[in-house]
């Protein structure tokens, strides 16, 4: 198991015929992403090694060390941290004076939590014809 700075948990199993790596949001019991390492041949298996998971320092990738059952060589698998779909709802006044501060309120929904201290950047786009 390896825990990212945002609290996302990467859990691994030695699963020859099932997903090897599972990602969980902090406090959630359902994986939102899994990876299975394909076997190199019908008579072999690729399995995650004990203590074989680690996050990149920026949590953009997960490193997994695997072994092919037909050899003694180890392989480093690099898994990209998946983007998760999010929904942003914003409430704003119907109008506002130009060049004045404007306060918006809103809500960000995602299937995974955001860790304490996480930063979310939002960019406003003018609607077509607006």
């Amino acid at each position: 198991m390896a825990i990212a700075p945002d609290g996302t948990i990467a859990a691994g199993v030695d699963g020859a015929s099932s997903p090897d790596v599972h990602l969980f949001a902090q406090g959630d019991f359902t994986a939102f992403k899994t990876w299975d390492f394909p076997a190199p041949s019908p008579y072999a298996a690729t399995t995650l090694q004990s203590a074989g998971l680690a996050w990149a320092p920026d949590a953009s990738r997960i490193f997994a060390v695997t072994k092919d059952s037909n050899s003694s060589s180890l392989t480093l698998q690099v898994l990209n941290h998946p983007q998760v779909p999010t929904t942003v709802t914003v409430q704003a006044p119907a109008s506002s004076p130009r060049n004045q501060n404007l306060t918006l309120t809103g809500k960000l929904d995602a299937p995974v939590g955001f860790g304490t201290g996480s930063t979310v950047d939002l960019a406003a786009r003018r609607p077509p014809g607006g």
Side-chain angles (χ1 to χ4, degrees):
M1 179 179 2
I3 302 173
D6 69 357
T8 303
I9 299 167
V13 296
D14 181 358
S17 60
S18 62
D20 300 277
V21 178
H22 306 260
L23 289 189
F24 297 89
Q26 189 174 21
D28 198 345
F29 297 103
T30 303
F32 68 88
K33 174 69 176 168
T34 61
W35 286 273
D36 188 25
F37 303 123
S41 73
Y43 304 105
T46 300
T47 55
L48 181 67
Q49 295 300 284
S50 178
L53 289 176
W55 286 92
D58 65 357
S60 63
R61 295 177 308 278
I62 304 158
F63 302 108
V65 178
T66 61
K67 183 176 178 294
D68 175 354
S69 63
N70 285 343
S71 74
S72 60
S73 63
L74 300 175
T75 302
L76 178 64
Q77 309 276 350
V78 180
L79 312 171
N80 289 323
H81 191 310
Q83 298 292 317
V84 294
T86 57
T87 303
V88 177
T89 307
V90 179
Q91 293 82 38
S95 64
S96 174
R98 281 185 181 237
N99 298 323
Q100 299 293 317
N101 288 339
L102 177 65
T103 300
L104 306 174
T105 59
K107 182 177 179 183
L108 176 64
D109 286 315
V112 298
F114 294 97
T116 303
S118 294
T119 300
V120 177
D121 294 321
L122 300 175
R125 281 188 271 169
R126 187 172 298 213

